[in-house]
Amino acid sequence: MPKGFYNVPVAKNEPILTYAPGTPEREELQNMLSTLRSQEVELPMIIGGKEVHTDRKIRMYPPHDIKHTLGYYNQGDAGHVEMAIDAALAAKADWAALQWQHRASVFLKAADLLSGTYRAKINAATMLGQSKNAYQAEIDAACELADFFRFGVKAMSDIYKMQPGSSPGVWNYNEFRPLEGFVFALTPFNFTSIAGNLPVAPALMGNTVVWKPSKTAVYSAGVIMEVLREAGLPDGVINQVFVSGPVAAGAVLSHPQFAGIHFTGSTEVFQSIWKTIGDNIYKYRSYPRIVGETGGKDFIFADNTADTQALAIAMVRGAFEYQGQKCSAASRVYVPKSIWGDVRKKLGDELATVKMGPPEDFTNFINAVIDEAAFDKLVGFIEKAKQDKDADVIFGGEYDKSVGYFIEPTVILAKKPDYITMEEELFGPVLTVYAYEDDELDKTLEILDNTSIYALTGAVFSQNRYAIEKITKRLEHAAGNFYINDKPTGAVVNQQPFGGARGSGTNDKAGTVFNFLRWASIRTIKETFMPPKQYTYPNFQDD
Ligand code: NAD
């Protein structure tokens, strides 16, 4: 047991480097990009600390340069998932018994590696593998992941301090036990930080984990594993398998020792997982914890006092940074007709200056979308909008997949508020605007609130304090993260705890005590110093 009440180092958000011309970080990142481009890696699965190779090698390539090969990963099957589960269960007792400050130290060291010697590598891997520009990679892969680890350690120690009161003669205390069994981390392609946080949060609380990264983010997931191993993560605590989602889910969700899932991805996949867990509920030793952050149809609502330049910039950044492939990306905007002409002009002026191309050219704001399936789906919506009488494509609308999966930032003007691209999550650089009659603000808020199944992020733009208050209140359940005069993206760990409700997930707020509590099962212990020696109470005595 620890011999002291240790204070963890004060967590601070990792400062974001600029990568401006002439800075050392720019040069270091450019060198790392060249190095990674000049070699082909072979990524094994890591199971029980061992590197596992198979005879199925899957090519990894940049979405913006599909003929270039970054390397190969070793594709596994259900047998490898079983091996990973066994390795997690075998590592459990030692890891759970390790004093918490030693668990913390592993991840604090990993954070320092991410913000230090591995910064260029994790950023370059994210830029090449997931087609992110330097700034987007920096705020995600290096900074946010280091923040998750550092604030995770703080959350863990804050939880350990949550103790009950004790009356005279009694001492009560809580033990935050890891869950019995193993935890499954199933991660998306779009944020390296989320991919790293989902297995690490349960591990910090003493759990052992089977981690299946997205097939389109294996390249950076391999670097995360490298960092964790260099930081001293013991074998078997996090086991990384490269298998298809259904294969992993098939083995994991039917296992009696399955203790919980930490998921981020689409609503459809999350709902299918939840259903399978329900169907298998009699098989499990405990009720599995289900934590999932999923899709969004994130909005900006402006009234006629909005600052039109600030609104146009929020639309460009909020909708098109990382090609709109953020769960929080603005994808529907409601603007009153009286200011729409002005907003449209400013938006068009800004978009005319936007450059698209590979992230290795640092001047490109827009890079490629993640894969061919996403490209084809998005093109389908754009082509449909070009034909539909209920929509006009007013900016962008061109695309090309000959070199990489490039789609211009595209703005659709919807003539009715329930046009399909106002409702469905597209997950790409496509923004739909609906211009409403100024005297129909209340009706439009009602429509906004009932248009989609999601409630992840949203923003209001207004300079009228009464309107800001009214709209914020009216949209209380429409978003788990709500912004006033700001774009709805870019949540920072410990500043805007992130997560949405309704169809968007369980809203457990990644990186906070609320999330970390899900990875512990509390045992409350009561000790009585002078136990009663007779069963009667005073009222039973005669007068
Ligand atoms: P996805 O749902 O396609 O994949 C997520 C993970 O689930 C991947 O590892 C994938 O291989 C796996 N998977 C896919 N099909 C599966 C199945 N049938 N059974 C089991 N596993 C399966 O999501 P994605 O394309 O990687 O990510 C984009 C989605 O994630 C978007 O919907 C986005 O809104 C959401 N997202 C949400 C948040 C949030 O915090 N709310 C953050 C990032 C991304």
Side-chain angles (χ1 to χ4, degrees):
M1 297 296 284
K3 296 175 185 65
F5 297 101
Y6 308 142
N7 292 327
V8 298
V10 176
K12 294 205 177 79
N13 290 113
E14 179 61 28
I16 297 164
L17 302 181
T18 69
Y19 298 87
T23 54
E25 67 265 19
R26 185 171 174 118
E27 192 186 339
E28 195 189 348
L29 184 56
Q30 283 168 335
N31 290 339
M32 182 58 77
L33 287 165
S34 311
T35 305
L36 294 187
R37 277 195 73 105
S38 67
Q39 66 195 23
E40 288 185 5
V41 295
E42 202 222 308
L43 281 184
M45 293 180 278
I46 307 289
I47 303 176
K50 298 207 170 48
E51 301 190 351
V52 178
H53 299 260
T54 66
D55 51 14
R56 281 203 68 201
K57 314 284 181 207
I58 309 290
R59 191 172 77 91
M60 296 179 286
Y61 53 85
H64 51 270
D65 185 5
I66 54 184
K67 295 206 174 74
H68 180 79
T69 298
L70 293 168
Y72 296 83
Y73 67 84
N74 286 269
Q75 169 97 11
D77 56 28
H80 295 102
V81 183
E82 296 291 349
M83 274 170 65
I85 294 171
D86 290 346
L89 293 173
K92 180 68 188 292
D94 284 349
W95 180 245
L98 187 70
Q99 290 184 15
W100 67 262
Q101 81 273 18
H102 290 296
R103 292 203 308 268
S105 294
V106 170
F107 299 106
L108 291 173
K109 179 169 177 180
D112 284 358
L113 290 169
L114 284 168
S115 54
T117 45
Y118 273 87
R119 191 178 200 120
K121 187 166 186 184
I122 193 81
N123 283 341
T126 302
M127 290 171 74
L128 292 172
Q130 290 135 271
S131 204
K132 274 196 184 189
N133 65 41
Y135 182 76
Q136 293 300 318
E138 166 77 359
I139 59 173
D140 164 20
C143 296
E144 190 173 37
L145 188 50
D147 287 355
F148 271 135
F149 290 176
R150 292 181 180 131
F151 284 100
V153 166
K154 177 180 176 338
M156 173 179 69
S157 81
D158 287 348
I159 286 173
Y160 289 163
K161 288 178 197 151
M162 292 179 184
Q163 295 296 332
S166 297
S167 51
V170 163
W171 187 9
N172 302 316
Y173 44 92
N174 285 337
E175 275 182 350
F176 294 89
R177 303 170 300 178
L179 308 180
E180 273 194 291
F182 68 95
V183 173
F184 181 36
L186 187 58
T187 63
F189 79 83
N190 64 336
F191 279 97
T192 302
S193 57
I194 296 177
N197 180 49
L198 298 198
V200 163
L204 250 167
M205 296 300 289
N207 298 282
T208 52
V209 181
V210 174
W211 172 23
K212 193 213 86 66
S214 164
K215 67 175 191 263
T216 42
V218 169
Y219 193 59
S220 60
V223 181
I224 296 172
M225 213 56 199
E226 203 181 325
V227 169
L228 292 174
R229 294 175 89 198
E230 186 162 335
L233 186 71
D235 294 347
V237 173
I238 294 177
N239 302 280
Q240 188 183 54
V241 290
F242 304 143
V243 296
S244 82
V247 165
V252 165
L253 302 181
S254 58
H255 198 288
Q257 301 261 47
F258 167 62
I261 177 165
H262 204 188
F263 175 81
T264 296
S266 59
T267 299
E268 190 188 357
V269 171
F270 187 51
Q271 291 183 346
S272 79
I273 284 168
W274 196 306
K275 184 170 184 311
T276 307
I277 293 171
D279 290 343
N280 289 341
I281 199 69
Y282 298 108
K283 293 185 183 164
Y284 306 131
R285 192 164 187 199
S286 313
Y287 294 105
R289 300 285 166 93
I290 307 176
V291 176
E293 296 305 330
T294 67
K297 188 67 196 173
D298 311 299
F299 59 85
I300 297 178
F301 185 91
D303 80 354
N304 55 20
T305 69
D307 175 334
T308 54
Q309 179 63 20
L311 175 58
I313 295 300
M315 288 163 79
V316 173
R317 285 186 168 177
F320 300 123
E321 282 182 327
Y322 192 41
Q323 297 76 261
Q325 299 170 121
K326 299 188 183 189
C327 48
S328 54
S331 65
R332 53 182 170 135
V333 178
Y334 301 81
V335 187
K337 282 194 170 158
S338 60
I339 64 166
W340 168 233
D342 189 18
V343 175
R344 178 176 175 155
K345 160 114 192 23
K346 287 174 171 150
L347 180 63
D349 290 348
E350 298 297 336
L351 288 176
T353 68
V354 163
K355 281 186 65 189
M356 180 166 77
E360 293 96 315
D361 175 348
F362 280 30
T363 63
N364 287 323
F365 181 80
I366 298 277
N367 313 119
V369 300
I370 193 70
D371 61 13
E372 190 166 24
F375 179 93
D376 290 346
K377 175 182 158 191
L378 290 159
V379 165
F381 280 104
I382 293 170
E383 283 306 314
K384 184 167 161 29
K386 285 180 183 170
Q387 312 295 327
D388 276 346
K389 62 175 180 18
D390 290 327
D392 287 328
V393 174
I394 58 172
F395 298 113
E398 299 301 317
Y399 45 83
D400 183 352
K401 62 176 173 181
S402 54
V403 178
Y405 305 117
F406 289 105
I407 299 180
E408 278 184 353
T410 297
V411 182
I412 297 171
L413 182 62
K415 295 181 189 159
K416 51 179 201 169
D418 60 350
Y419 182 66
I420 187 158
T421 62
M422 291 291 285
E423 289 186 336
E424 276 194 29
E425 183 185 54
L426 308 187
F427 221 60
V430 179
L431 172 68
T432 308
V433 178
Y434 175 69
Y436 67 89
E437 299 292 346
D438 284 49
D439 60 3
E440 292 189 347
L441 182 140
D442 289 321
K443 184 177 154 198
T444 310
L445 286 172
E446 179 71 23
I447 290 169
L448 183 162
D449 198 23
N450 290 298
T451 294
S452 94
I453 61 165
Y454 302 108
L456 190 51
T457 74
V460 56
F461 272 75
S462 170
Q463 299 190 88
N464 175 337
R465 188 47 60 180
Y466 292 110
I468 290 171
E469 188 198 37
K470 172 183 153 159
I471 294 164
T472 304
K473 198 157 176 262
R474 175 63 192 83
L475 298 178
E476 181 182 358
H477 292 289
N481 284 71
F482 192 76
Y483 295 79
I484 299 170
N485 291 321
D486 203 348
K487 64 182 168 57
T489 58
V492 174
V493 178
N494 195 48
Q495 296 195 38
Q496 297 93 27
F498 193 78
R502 295 185 183 160
S504 293
T506 53
N507 201 10
D508 289 292
K509 299 292 186 193
T512 68
V513 289
F514 310 114
N515 177 288
F516 278 77
L517 272 171
R518 304 296 310 275
W519 310 117
S521 176
I522 303 171
R523 176 163 82 148
T524 301
I525 295 177
K526 173 188 179 189
E527 178 171 352
T528 299
F529 301 129
M530 300 294 171
K533 301 283 172 59
Q534 58 183 45
Y535 78 89
T536 55
Y537 296 94
N539 64 291
F540 293 110
Q541 292 168 11
D542 283 336
D543 286 326

